[in-house]
Amino acid sequence: MTNKIILELKNICKNYSTKNETLEIVKNLDLKIEEGDFISILGQSGSGKTTLLNLIGLLDSPTSGEIYIDGENISVNSSNIDLIRNKTIGFVFQFHYLLPEFTALENVMIPALTQNFSKKNEIEKKALKLLQDVGVDERAHHKPTELSGGEKQRVAIARALINDPKILLLDEPTGNLDNETSEKIFNIFKQINKKNRQTIITVTHSRELSDISNKKLFLKKGILSEQ
Ligand SMILES: Nc1ncnc2c1ncn2[C@@H]1O[C@H](COP(=O)(O)OP(=O)(O)O)[C@@H](O)[C@H]1O
Ligand SMILES: [Mg+2]
């Protein structure tokens, strides 16, 4: 049985124009990702990994080419792109970006509350369950400053999952963590991918993280390849 294609990039180019030159960061990139895939993207610093992830995550628009998510051609210029992104994509970055004035639980709830405030009780239950899944439910009522680095990143993972994203995007998600903590976080991703068949795309320097993915892609000079 073949899985459905959850993400397709067709002939994507991304250029940055500076005063003197045009930098071609992503060149004629085609990519198909199936539902439930766990893809890692490797490449040297400056090779365009974050640029590519920002395109997939609908944070930035390609210079040319098309992005299909679950069969739908998505334009970053459409007026409701924030809503589409919020419903479709979960992000975990190297830095957690938790809101300091809110508790862990509230941070997880916020992306869902902004869409559906009337379902606050349901959202709270779901957020608690997610915090439990990532092993930090005992810290639900702590503020980010009262959490360790690993705990903060766990909360950020729970937050990324609150709207059941079609694609979970990770940009160096353990870049700020020690090896032991990173390993625990890797196991969380492995579980989410296995148990929930969550599609994951991660950019990473970590061999351990890329080793648990089911496909490694290498970005070199704007071109994505399997070696
Ligand atoms: N807004 C921008 N304007 C011009 N150049 C940029 C911009 N963003 C990134 N770049 C350049 O694009 C290249 C790829 O950057 P990036 O995607 O952040 O790489 P990576 O995440 O692989 O380290 C780098 O050479 C960077 O300097
Ligand atoms: Mg980067």
Side-chain angles (χ1 to χ4, degrees):
M1 200 181 81
T2 54
N3 291 327
K4 90 169 156 182
I5 303 292
I6 197 78
L7 171 76
E8 182 166 10
L9 305 185
K10 282 190 188 169
N11 207 14
I12 292 284
C13 295
K14 180 67 184 178
N15 302 339
Y16 289 121
S17 295
T18 59
K19 243 190 289 169
N20 304 319
E21 56 179 347
T22 297
L23 299 169
E24 295 181 301
I25 305 299
V26 176
K27 294 179 197 160
N28 305 102
L29 190 144
D30 289 308
L31 178 65
K32 274 188 193 175
I33 289 178
E34 291 179 3
E35 192 169 39
D37 268 350
F38 189 162
I39 306 284
S40 54
I41 298 175
L42 297 119
Q44 288 183 345
S45 180
S47 61
K49 303 182 299 297
T50 294
T51 301
L52 177 58
L53 220 57
N54 287 344
L55 293 171
I56 296 172
L58 312 173
L59 287 169
D60 197 2
S61 55
T63 306
S64 62
E66 287 159 3
I67 297 179
Y68 294 80
I69 295 181
D70 208 359
E72 200 179 329
N73 187 350
I74 313 257
S75 164
V76 175
N77 303 318
S78 66
S79 58
N80 57 346
I81 190 64
D82 291 340
L83 188 67
I84 295 173
R85 187 189 311 110
N86 196 3
K87 280 170 56 180
T88 319
I89 307 283
F91 277 106
V92 180
F93 302 97
Q94 184 168 356
F95 182 72
H96 56 79
Y97 296 111
L98 297 176
L99 299 171
E101 64 271 38
F102 294 98
T103 64
L105 180 63
E106 288 162 344
N107 267 282
V108 176
M109 291 170 67
I110 286 166
L113 280 181
T114 55
Q115 285 182 50
N116 212 336
F117 201 82
S118 63
K119 293 201 174 153
K120 189 164 178 277
N121 289 344
E122 258 171 69
I123 291 169
E124 182 168 342
K125 252 194 216 156
K126 187 172 173 186
L128 269 171
K129 168 77 172 57
L130 285 167
L131 286 173
Q132 206 174 11
D133 290 348
V134 298
V136 75
D137 50 312
E138 285 178 1
R139 299 283 181 275
H141 300 289
H142 286 229
K143 299 258 176 81
T145 51
E146 302 157 352
L147 300 170
S148 72
E151 286 168 345
K152 279 186 270 219
Q153 210 54 335
R154 286 166 195 256
V155 175
I157 296 166
R159 179 185 54 184
L161 295 170
I162 189 78
N163 287 333
D164 301 313
K166 291 179 176 161
I167 306 170
L168 179 63
L169 297 179
L170 316 174
D171 194 353
E172 300 281 0
T174 56
N176 281 332
L177 303 175
D178 59 75
N179 287 345
E180 203 184 327
T181 310
S182 299
E183 226 167 272
K184 289 181 183 155
I185 301 282
F186 296 157
N187 281 325
I188 293 171
F189 294 135
K190 203 155 109 182
Q191 275 211 341
I192 298 168
N193 174 248
K194 280 248 161 69
K195 268 196 358 211
N196 313 352
R197 295 196 67 243
Q198 173 71 54
T199 309
I200 301 180
I201 304 175
T202 185
V203 155
T204 185
H205 278 115
S206 158
R207 175 155 291 278
E208 286 83 6
L209 179 53
S210 68
D211 280 348
I212 60 170
S213 70
N214 60 14
K215 193 175 194 180
K216 294 182 196 179
L217 297 172
F218 298 86
L219 191 60
K220 219 184 273 172
K221 295 186 177 154
I223 294 169
L224 203 57
S225 68
E226 293 193 22
Q227 59 224 313

